[in-house]
Amino acid sequence: MRELYQEVILDHGKNPRNFRQPEDANCEARGNNPLCGDQLTVYLKVDEGRLIRDAAFEGRGCAISMASASMMTQIVCGKTVSQVQSLFDKFHKLCTGEMEEFPQDEFTDDMEKLRVMSGVSRFPMRVKCATLSWHTMNAAVAGDNETTTE
Ligand code: ZN
């Protein structure tokens, strides 16, 4: 388990980045992971060109869910909605252990940062903690205001 809680996860879990509710957010969704008790709200500001100008979250949950949300808000900011949807697909595969190596592409740097979460692949319960914020972000851009891992 120690390997799962690497330093970077502990740091983001303790000091989550972008932990706030932006006043000008125009997309938001609530995510719920009843298995662990993680609950969070993701706020996005998406412009007319579907570019994410701001990303933030609030909520409470385990270190993995908070750290993942914190990292996600940093990574999605400045990307388009379609880019973050492709990135979510890769991140999900990383968390479930379906993909261990990633092709060199526009997301390589981001996947290197997110690789720290790959330890969850051996703990199926934890996969939902790690992917909750991404599912919630996906729901927010799709216009669904509520999502659950169940
Ligand atoms: Zn959790």
Side-chain angles (χ1 to χ4, degrees):
M1 281 303 268
R2 185 174 303 156
E3 193 189 334
L4 182 59
Y5 293 96
Q6 292 186 35
E7 212 164 306
V8 53
I9 295 180
L10 291 173
D11 174 47
H12 276 273
K14 255 187 242 164
N15 305 296
R17 317 303 197 269
N18 301 307
F19 193 90
R20 59 191 162 82
Q21 180 176 2
E23 277 174 20
D24 55 354
N26 55 4
C27 289
E28 67 173 80
R30 277 189 304 278
N32 184 25
N33 175 19
L35 268 180
C36 180
D38 310 316
Q39 284 182 311
L40 50 84
T41 305
V42 170
Y43 305 100
L44 302 169
K45 185 185 176 191
V46 183
D47 74 11
E48 316 78 61
R50 301 294 277 163
L51 186 75
I52 298 171
R53 297 280 183 186
D54 194 14
F57 80 105
E58 282 182 329
R60 58 193 162 80
C62 66
I64 300 276
S65 66
M66 293 294 106
S68 180
S70 171
M71 294 182 77
M72 181 197 76
T73 57
Q74 287 188 314
I75 282 173
V76 302
C77 197
K79 290 191 169 64
T80 64
V81 166
S82 65
Q83 281 177 316
V84 298
Q85 285 169 337
S86 317
L87 197 51
F88 174 39
D89 184 53
K90 285 170 189 277
F91 178 63
H92 197 266
K93 288 183 170 132
L94 176 80
C95 289
T96 55
E98 284 171 67
M99 207 189 263
E100 282 174 5
E101 290 304 321
F102 292 90
Q104 290 288 321
D105 61 17
E106 58 180 322
F107 303 121
T108 305
D109 291 348
D110 298 315
M111 291 311 298
E112 284 304 324
K113 284 181 204 148
L114 292 169
R115 190 182 288 278
V116 67
M117 305 297 301
S118 66
V120 301
S121 65
R122 293 190 303 278
F123 305 91
M125 290 262 300
R126 292 291 174 204
V127 172
K128 293 186 174 182
C129 300
T131 55
L132 176 64
S133 56
W134 287 83
H135 278 294
T136 310
M137 180 270 300
N138 216 23
V141 296
D144 300 330
N145 296 116
E146 205 111 9
T147 188
T148 175
T149 56
E150 290 305 289

